[in-house]
Amino acid sequence: MMAQEIEATETTAAKRKTPPTAWLLLLAGLVVALGVSYAAYTLAGYSWAQVVDYDSPFITAANGVLKSSRPALDTPIPGATSRRTVLVVIDGLTDATSRTMPSIEALRKRGNDVALTVPQPSLSYPTWTTILTGATPQISGVTTNWYEKRVPLETLMDVAAVSGRSVVVASPKDIETLYSASKVASTAYTDWVEGDYVTDTIVDDALSLAAEKKADFVFALFPDVDEAGHSFGQTSEQYAATAAQVDADLARLIDGLDDGNTVFVVLPDHGHVPAGGHGGWEDPVIHTFAAFAGPGVKPGNAEGRLQDVAPTVALLAGFQAPSGTSGVTIDGLLADSNGQAQVLDTERWQRFENAYSATVTGSSTTVELADAQRLASDRLDRLPLALGLLAIALAVLAAIGIASWRALVAALSGALAYVAVYNGFFFLAHRYAWSLSTFNEESMIQAFFNGRMIEAVIAGVIACAVAGDIYLLMRPEPRGVRAGFNVEWISLGVATALAIQVILGLQVAWFLWKWGAETVWRLPDLMWGFKYDLDLIQMTAIAGVAILGPVVTYLIGRFHPRIRAT
Ligand SMILES: [Zn+2]
């Protein structure tokens, strides 16, 4: 009796004719999945380019309004003492390692040990620009190390020169490309070759040029510690050894230039993560220091931001801050206001704030209010787009659910497995973070994204296997592809790919509402921006799952032991 029944069922099943709509639905699902992948790929490229090529709207404001409405730079500041100033940037030196360097510790002891916060992205060109112009990447438009033209903002060297100082620059050649220092300073550029130690040469050049030109503003940039960080990691012996060597050269520079009346400012542009790398938001990367010592410096422990260094250095030196400065003077380390210098700087800040808020909102208000108002109105503008994406995502799920509620449950379970596997690779196996520091070097970016795409495909294939299993579990007598259910089993793979894209797409929609794809006046939060790019890259890779996934689910429908048993 029992055997007869089964036979009867099988005969019916074998005769089952697949409705043409099922094939159409499968085809439609595949087209949507591949279309979404392509759209995500396009959007990822567009959004990344928006950050790299960010065209700061503040450059005009900073150079126009600010420059024209302030006193001429060669007008002496009433009552100010002109102080000889030496500014040294040690690329990539962490705060922790700086505490092992005797010459920096000596400056701190007789001066001020300032805790600094570095703006995002904590890459070298953006942060050098912040140190020399006082402008954050949002203001300067320098957002990556691919910036390869003259930064259209005044630097401390420019202002020092116009104020009648003899300016000396000793550094790698990038300083010329970015700031045209040779136009206003006596320069000595060192060609840097990988593996070379160059700080000794830079110090020799700085000392001889300073003596020859009777310099009263010296800028030096030491690249070696950063290179050791990238090559060996920040916790390596090589990093510590390079820092020690740099410290000895720094000591020579300080000894050679200290006439008892010179202000010394030593700081890094950013730190490094333990494994080596920067660009992101990690504590050792963005929480750095500046050691200030000399006349006008009040001993102690002050706090500031990287953009505050330029106006503070200018005040101590006795000249005006560069016109694009978005920072303020670090009051906590100033022993005096250097005549009228602080008054002038407060007026400069006022003009900056007016120009900033006018650019952002069209009316004069504070920086904070302008940011809040503009963000709120931008987000309101972007809400329909985000809700539209949400509606599309729900429509895709609804379409799957109407075709088969079991397929929907199975596909969503598969998508959750995808999230677990992909993030397991990302956070647990690789110990990555949503941070630009993850790359370590720019040459690794392509390989990094390729690796994530491969893992997305692997996680997607696993997701399809999970979806197939769950689908089987929901039927007491599962029907395999041989019973005429091949299109259903193939479709389950496509449905799982779509469910993964829905889960990623919802996160992308959130980012698009919060920050937008365009970078118009403000850089997005780069931690979420990094995640957003990775989400889009995953959505791109899911094209591979839309192709491979159906094979996986078909094979489950053909060979799964439970199907064979029935
Ligand atoms: Zn670096």
Side-chain angles (χ1 to χ4, degrees):
M1 185 66 193
M2 198 65 174
Q4 271 176 354
E5 260 182 31
I6 292 172
E7 217 166 77
T9 320
E10 272 192 354
T11 321
T12 335
K15 280 186 193 153
R16 179 178 184 265
K17 280 228 160 61
T18 307
T21 44
W23 287 104
L24 278 177
L25 208 61
L26 167 63
L27 187 68
L30 195 60
V31 167
V32 171
L34 296 179
V36 167
S37 288
Y38 184 73
Y41 173 76
T42 311
L43 188 57
Y46 174 81
S47 304
W48 178 240
Q50 282 285 303
V51 171
V52 174
D53 303 331
Y54 166 56
D55 191 11
S56 163
F58 305 101
I59 292 289
T60 327
N63 282 351
V65 182
L66 295 179
K67 227 176 195 172
S68 60
S69 60
R70 72 169 185 200
L73 279 176
D74 50 6
T75 317
I77 298 173
T81 313
S82 172
R83 294 168 182 139
R84 188 160 173 264
T85 305
V86 177
L87 173 63
V88 179
V89 173
I90 304 179
D91 200 321
L93 177 63
T94 59
D95 181 76
T97 302
S98 77
R99 312 265 155 203
T100 68
M101 296 164 70
S103 58
I104 294 179
E105 284 290 275
L107 290 179
R108 287 178 171 132
K109 214 164 196 173
R110 67 184 170 100
N112 202 300
D113 181 5
V114 185
L116 281 186
T117 308
V118 174
Q120 297 281 291
S122 52
L123 297 165
S124 287
Y125 285 7
T127 50
W128 294 355
T129 302
T130 301
I131 293 168
L132 288 173
T133 68
T136 56
Q138 182 197 6
I139 305 297
S140 69
V142 183
T143 52
T144 63
N145 292 348
W146 292 304
Y147 195 98
E148 266 170 0
K149 46 187 194 225
R150 167 71 158 98
V151 176
L153 284 170
E154 283 176 359
T155 64
L156 283 169
M157 288 88 82
D158 294 331
V159 187
V162 180
S163 314
R165 313 302 168 92
S166 163
V167 183
V168 159
V169 170
S171 72
K173 186 93 188 176
D174 315 61
I175 295 298
E176 184 60 25
T177 318
L178 294 170
Y179 314 109
S180 307
S182 66
K183 287 197 175 151
V184 294
S186 306
T187 55
Y189 294 124
T190 306
D191 274 330
W192 180 81
V193 184
E194 194 166 346
D196 274 7
Y197 179 83
V198 293
T199 299
D200 50 354
T201 314
I202 290 172
V203 167
D204 291 345
D205 290 342
L207 286 171
S208 63
L209 264 184
E212 186 191 327
K213 304 289 176 187
K214 297 192 184 355
D216 34 31
F217 188 85
V218 177
F219 172 68
L221 177 78
F222 302 164
D224 296 296
V225 173
D226 186 58
E227 291 308 322
H230 285 295
S231 303
F232 306 106
Q234 180 254 304
T235 48
S236 66
E237 277 173 34
Q238 289 92 335
Y239 183 87
T242 307
Q245 198 175 357
V246 164
D247 191 65
D249 281 315
L250 176 64
R252 282 201 299 128
L253 184 73
I254 294 170
D255 286 349
L257 294 176
D258 199 2
D259 55 3
N261 200 33
T262 297
V263 178
F264 288 94
V265 182
V266 178
L267 77 161
D269 47 355
H270 53 73
H272 265 272
V273 292
H278 56 88
W281 41 261
E282 294 83 354
D283 185 69
V285 174
I286 63 159
H287 291 129
T288 64
F289 70 93
F292 278 76
V297 176
K298 182 168 76 184
N301 296 79
E303 270 178 44
R305 302 161 303 169
L306 197 64
Q307 61 266 39
D308 300 333
V309 169
T312 308
V313 166
L315 185 137
L316 286 164
F319 51 72
Q320 296 176 50
S323 57
T325 300
S326 56
V328 294
T329 52
I330 306 171
D331 288 345
L333 68 78
L334 298 174
D336 58 45
S337 57
N338 205 3
Q340 296 284 304
Q342 195 151 27
V343 175
L344 281 177
D345 199 59
T346 308
E347 290 170 10
R348 174 202 59 77
W349 166 252
Q350 215 62 65
R351 288 191 302 271
F352 171 81
E353 190 159 55
N354 290 340
Y356 179 93
S357 53
T359 307
V360 170
T361 63
S363 60
S364 272
T365 171
T366 65
V367 167
E368 290 75 19
L369 265 176
D371 280 354
Q373 282 174 11
R374 177 71 183 267
L375 277 175
S377 81
D378 283 2
R379 282 168 189 166
L380 201 61
D381 290 346
R382 292 191 291 252
L383 195 58
L385 168 79
L387 291 177
L389 290 172
L390 178 69
I392 292 170
L394 293 178
V396 167
L397 293 184
I400 298 172
I402 289 166
S404 156
W405 68 269
R406 288 186 181 89
L408 179 62
V409 173
L412 282 175
S413 310
L416 291 180
Y418 169 87
V419 171
V421 172
Y422 174 84
N423 288 299
F425 279 134
F426 191 84
F427 292 109
L428 301 178
H430 299 298
R431 305 211 163 268
Y432 287 148
W434 293 328
S435 162
L436 285 169
S437 306
T438 305
F439 296 140
N440 192 3
E441 298 205 41
E442 276 119 39
S443 57
M444 297 176 180
I445 293 178
Q446 199 54 52
F448 175 82
F449 279 119
N450 290 343
R452 303 299 71 71
M453 286 180 74
I454 290 167
E455 285 170 5
V457 172
I458 294 170
V461 165
I462 293 172
C464 290
V466 169
D469 272 355
I470 301 280
Y471 190 65
L472 281 178
L473 282 178
M474 284 187 291
R475 285 196 180 276
E477 281 179 27
R479 299 172 298 189
V481 292
R482 281 174 147 179
F485 288 91
N486 42 4
V487 69
E488 284 78 1
W489 279 100
I490 294 169
S491 299
L492 183 60
V494 176
T496 307
L498 284 169
I500 297 169
Q501 283 184 333
V502 162
I503 287 189
L504 293 167
L506 290 176
Q507 297 170 75
V508 165
W510 174 82
F511 181 88
L512 289 175
W513 166 74
K514 189 103 175 159
W515 298 107
E518 276 183 293
T519 304
V520 177
W521 64 280
R522 185 190 165 115
L523 297 172
D525 178 301
L526 289 174
M527 185 186 87
W528 293 114
F530 194 88
K531 179 192 180 298
Y532 159 75
D533 244 37
L534 281 171
D535 287 343
L536 290 173
I537 289 294
Q538 291 173 69
M539 289 177 82
T540 305
I542 298 306
V545 179
I547 306 289
L548 293 175
V551 178
V552 174
T553 47
Y554 177 86
L555 291 175
I556 291 176
R558 175 85 170 73
F559 294 112
H560 196 284
R562 272 200 70 207
I563 284 176
R564 295 171 72 122
T566 52

